[in-house]
Amino acid sequence: MCGIIGYIGPKDAVPYLIEGLRRMEYRGYDSAGVAVWTDDALEVRRAAGKIAKLEAALVASPLSGTVGIGHTRWATHGPPTERNAHPHLSADGTIAVVHNGIIENSTALKAALQDLGYEFRSDTDTEVIAHLVQELFDGSLEEAVINALRKIEGTYGLAVVSSKDRDKIVAARKGSPLLIGVGEGETFLASDPSAILAHTRQVVYLNDGDVAVIERDKYKVIDIDAMPQPRTVDRINWDLAAIERGGYAHFMLKEIFEQPTTIENTMRGRLILEDGTAKLGGINLSHEQLLNIDNIIITACGTSWHSALIGEMMIEELARIPVEVEYASEFRYKNPIVTERTLCIVMSQSGETADTLAAMREAKRRGARTLGLVNVVGSTIAREDDGGVYLHAGPEIGVASTKAFTSQVVALALFTLKLARKRELSVARGREFAQALAALPGQIKTVLDTASVIEAIAEEFKRASNFLYLGRGFNFPAALEGALKLKEISYIHAEGYPAAEMKHGPIALIDEMMPVVFIAPHDAVFDKVVSNVQEVKARNGKTIVITSRDEPSLKGLVDYEIRIPETADMLMPILASVPLQLLAYYIAVKRGSNVDQPRNLAKSVTVE
Ligand code: F6R
């Protein structure tokens, strides 16, 4: 979603701002802008659409100065036009603001400001902040911002500059991430570390309630009462290469092909083959606490929710603890049964998804212990959970989640193994499962070797208008995930169903125009799935079958076959999801979609 960048230092801010905005493009946006102090005035350039449009505006009307802020906006209040793009200027042009989040009392604040004579030039909630800071300004920008924050309700990550208190950027965070990048004689502000990684690895993550005053060679973090808030300097430990395409046509393709390594990284140092268990340093759960868990709730959104469904089945199967999977957006407004012996597992690639964060806070408030399975190091969920397991999949830039999904399932498998071995799983079964996990990276390589087969299938179906994805047991969530991948990047309508449910409704859709993807490896429910394939074939549907053996029972039923290796039933969805990702990818590319930045989608959904 929206991105914030700020620069203050000896050099021209504009190239830094544009580069930072480009690095955050993957998050999804529909307009962009910058504000720079040019020695004469605070000047703003904005454009609807992609950053290239903003660059064109800067060529037509150049800007230069050593203090600046920039923004990519994902429209919430008002359409994605130039007038709604950030930065927003105060009425007298002395204050410029960029803002992520939503000001919930903007209507009331706007009315009060209009009564004072302020005229509004945009449809945004952000513009009230600019006028409010102007109204409250009395010589010190941080004081004016703090006084404005006292009146604001809602969520924000914001950055403010002023031509009346020039050599600083004032930033504030509540519910929307921000960090300070500490450089040599220059300081950065960003909502995403990838925006500044090319210039510094030293970062200070702001917490909710923090206000930061950023100057060229120093910064301070205070709270709304101006009390100093000591914050540590962290080091970003991934390379620039991780956020670059490295020869691949798209980030999504690169991330699909990275999976042998990312899965290896998720397991590194954690899998203990000999004892058939896993070592997870960060979970902060004692032996007794692990034994005393009565029930588990896993909460998440989107793809992370699909991984949670697989986790549910693994935990119930091996650790024999009841598990419920809840959409985070639903959980937070329910009256869930949570006790001190409930463990709430929170799945999130970004660690910033607003609903997931709120669900975690709600579970905590009700007394549950929380365990975050998160990819982005230092993200809000990772910092607020009681314990955590980082995925170590590296930055995921493609909007459609791929490598984070497989790492999530692996992280859930590791946790299951640890939990189950504490309870009733034998060493022998634990070892078997651990060995199956250890073999996954090599097996994914084998699946990736079939990419050209999948590309050829994509060619056949690139014009389809609908797709059905069917699987049973552990592969039902894989069917949901396959359908989600296809619809989000190719815009083809696709549904995932448990294979046997098809005859309770979706079977009405089957005809010679309907491609049906079956996830049918040789597992405990294989024969049942074959019956479902027969039902589709009997109605002339087109079958694309992902399977793991030459099976006589499938003869004559398969129009297109994709072969995957065999593994433990529970881990099959990991291997099956790779061809599903590739199928979605190739179809989307052949249809000319913008695979890495699909329409309307954002990488981390920081609004409710
Ligand atoms: C789908 C996708 C989304 C996310 C969802 C949750 O490809 O990426 O469905 O999975 O928005 O995001 P995180 O995992 O960051 O909480």
Side-chain angles (χ1 to χ4, degrees):
M1 282 197 151
C2 311
I4 288 178
I5 176 80
Y7 174 85
I8 177 161
K11 304 191 200 117
D12 183 8
V14 175
Y16 287 97
L17 300 181
I18 294 295
E19 187 208 339
L21 294 179
R22 278 217 177 278
R23 297 253 183 223
M24 291 187 287
E25 278 196 293
Y26 77 98
R27 305 182 67 86
Y29 70 103
D30 36 42
S31 60
V34 293
V36 173
W37 167 244
T38 64
D39 284 346
D40 295 325
L42 203 49
E43 286 202 47
V44 168
R45 301 286 181 275
R46 304 182 296 189
K50 294 293 175 195
I51 289 165
K53 297 254 181 67
L54 174 63
E55 285 180 297
L58 283 161
V59 169
S61 179
L63 274 188
S64 136
T66 55
V67 186
I69 53 177
H71 191 258
T72 43
R73 171 174 186 256
W74 189 84
T76 53
H77 288 59
T81 55
E82 189 196 329
R83 62 191 280 274
N84 285 335
H86 301 206
H88 289 283
L89 280 176
S90 60
D92 66 0
T94 62
I95 310 282
V97 177
V98 294
H99 163 229
N100 294 348
I102 290 179
I103 305 303
E104 283 159 10
N105 61 340
S106 63
T107 312
L109 289 173
K110 183 173 176 175
L113 287 161
Q114 279 169 328
D115 286 347
L116 292 172
Y118 286 88
E119 278 176 25
F120 281 72
R121 294 166 294 215
S122 77
D123 311 314
T124 66
D125 52 339
T126 302
E127 195 182 341
V128 297
I129 308 174
H131 299 316
L132 199 54
V133 174
Q134 178 193 322
E135 178 63 23
L136 298 169
F137 189 89
D138 191 17
S140 154
L141 184 59
E142 59 260 41
E143 276 174 25
V145 170
I146 283 177
N147 288 331
L149 295 180
R150 290 185 200 284
K151 297 185 186 295
I152 285 171
E153 286 163 23
T155 55
Y156 47 80
L158 59 88
V160 189
V161 287
S162 169
S163 55
K164 292 194 288 188
D165 190 6
R166 293 197 308 233
D167 295 319
K168 62 177 68 154
I169 301 171
V170 177
R173 175 197 159 136
K174 186 176 160 210
S176 198
L178 273 184
L179 56 93
I180 300 168
V182 186
E184 298 276 324
E186 57 190 2
T187 314
F188 300 83
L189 175 76
S191 55
D192 180 327
S194 46
I196 56 165
L197 181 63
H199 308 294
T200 179
R201 288 172 176 277
Q202 310 295 326
V203 296
V204 176
Y205 292 103
L206 298 185
N207 284 353
D208 277 354
D210 284 353
V211 175
V213 183
I214 296 159
E215 296 179 46
R216 190 169 157 156
D217 45 15
K218 60 180 193 253
Y219 63 88
K220 69 176 178 194
V221 182
I222 52 178
D223 67 10
I224 203 162
D225 297 315
M227 296 301 291
Q229 298 299 305
R231 297 279 171 258
T232 51
V233 180
D234 284 308
R235 191 178 155 75
I236 306 173
N237 57 12
W238 31 270
D239 293 331
L240 209 50
I243 53 168
E244 289 177 344
R245 270 194 286 123
Y248 283 90
H250 297 97
F251 279 109
M252 182 177 176
L253 190 64
K254 176 183 177 225
E255 287 159 7
I256 292 172
F257 273 84
E258 274 174 357
Q259 290 176 107
T261 311
T262 49
I263 282 189
E264 187 104 57
N265 289 344
T266 308
M267 292 191 286
R268 192 181 307 284
R270 290 169 163 171
L271 200 56
I272 308 171
L273 289 171
E274 258 171 47
D275 299 339
T277 188
K279 190 170 83 190
L280 296 167
I283 60 176
N284 294 335
L285 284 161
S286 66
H287 176 73
E288 282 67 37
Q289 282 171 319
L290 282 171
L291 286 181
N292 288 337
I293 296 169
D294 277 349
N295 68 316
I296 295 178
I297 294 171
I298 316 182
T299 188
C301 303
T303 287
S304 298
W305 185 82
H306 296 154
S307 73
L309 294 176
I310 302 168
E312 172 185 21
M313 286 187 263
M314 289 196 288
I315 295 171
E316 291 194 341
E317 172 82 22
L318 295 184
R320 308 300 298 150
I321 299 174
V323 182
E324 270 176 275
V325 175
E326 298 272 9
Y327 281 116
S329 54
E330 293 296 316
F331 176 77
R332 58 185 295 198
Y333 294 113
K334 281 171 76 170
N335 188 10
I337 299 167
V338 171
T339 72
E340 279 167 12
R341 291 165 73 126
T342 302
L343 176 69
C344 178
I345 301 180
V346 184
M347 311 288 310
S348 177
Q349 189 286 128
S350 63
E352 301 293 350
T353 302
D355 283 319
T356 311
L357 179 60
M360 180 176 84
R361 288 177 177 158
E362 181 58 19
K364 256 190 170 184
R365 200 183 62 74
R366 288 171 179 263
R369 278 195 69 79
T370 56
L371 178 69
L373 269 60
V374 169
N375 193 35
V376 177
V377 176
S379 57
T380 310
I381 291 176
R383 283 182 299 129
E384 289 193 17
D385 56 21
D386 296 318
V389 180
Y390 275 124
L391 304 182
H392 295 313
E396 191 178 64
I397 307 290
V399 163
S401 186
T402 52
K403 63 177 182 173
F405 172 73
T406 45
S407 282
Q408 281 173 332
V409 182
V410 168
L412 281 162
L414 293 173
F415 180 69
T416 304
L417 198 53
K418 182 171 176 74
L419 191 60
R421 287 281 292 111
K422 290 271 177 219
R423 297 170 76 114
E424 49 190 72
L425 191 74
S426 68
V427 191
R429 276 197 78 199
R431 274 190 198 137
E432 227 177 90
F433 192 57
Q435 269 153 7
L437 275 165
L440 284 173
Q443 292 182 309
I444 291 183
K445 278 195 189 123
T446 315
V447 181
L448 291 169
D449 287 343
T450 65
S452 56
V453 174
I454 299 162
E455 188 172 4
I457 299 175
E459 183 63 31
E460 291 296 316
F461 292 102
K462 65 182 182 196
R463 289 192 191 84
S465 324
N466 294 290
F467 257 86
L468 212 52
Y469 285 73
L470 302 176
R472 293 180 85 141
F474 290 98
N475 292 309
F476 161 52
L480 292 176
E481 176 60 7
L484 179 65
K485 284 292 87 88
L486 184 72
K487 72 183 125 190
E488 60 187 347
I489 58 170
S490 73
Y491 319 138
I492 295 175
H493 172 243
E495 303 235 24
Y497 261 91
E501 270 294 304
M502 179 188 60
K503 52 188 167 301
H504 300 286
I507 198 163
L509 298 170
I510 310 284
D511 62 15
E512 63 285 357
M513 303 300 288
M514 177 63 109
V516 185
V517 180
F518 279 96
I519 302 142
H522 191 89
D523 60 9
V525 288
F526 174 74
D527 293 334
K528 305 281 173 204
V529 181
V530 174
S531 317
N532 305 132
V533 183
Q534 268 162 346
E535 288 156 11
V536 169
K537 230 28 238 165
R539 287 158 186 84
N540 294 323
K542 293 274 177 298
T543 56
I544 302 161
V545 181
I546 299 175
T547 189
S548 58
R549 277 190 204 174
D550 239 343
E551 282 288 352
S553 55
L554 281 173
K555 283 264 156 356
L557 300 178
V558 179
D559 295 315
Y560 300 89
E561 183 183 303
I562 300 169
R563 194 61 78 83
I564 57 173
E566 298 205 326
T567 178
D569 287 6
M570 278 173 259
L571 303 179
M572 261 311 174
I574 296 178
L575 297 183
S577 63
V578 177
L580 296 174
Q581 294 164 353
L582 285 169
L583 185 65
Y585 170 78
Y586 287 123
I587 291 179
V589 169
K590 287 172 192 294
R591 288 168 72 100
S593 305
N594 184 346
V595 170
D596 283 333
Q597 292 163 37
R599 69 184 181 204
N600 304 337
L601 291 181
K603 185 64 189 162
S604 96
V605 182
T606 48
V607 293
E608 236 190 272

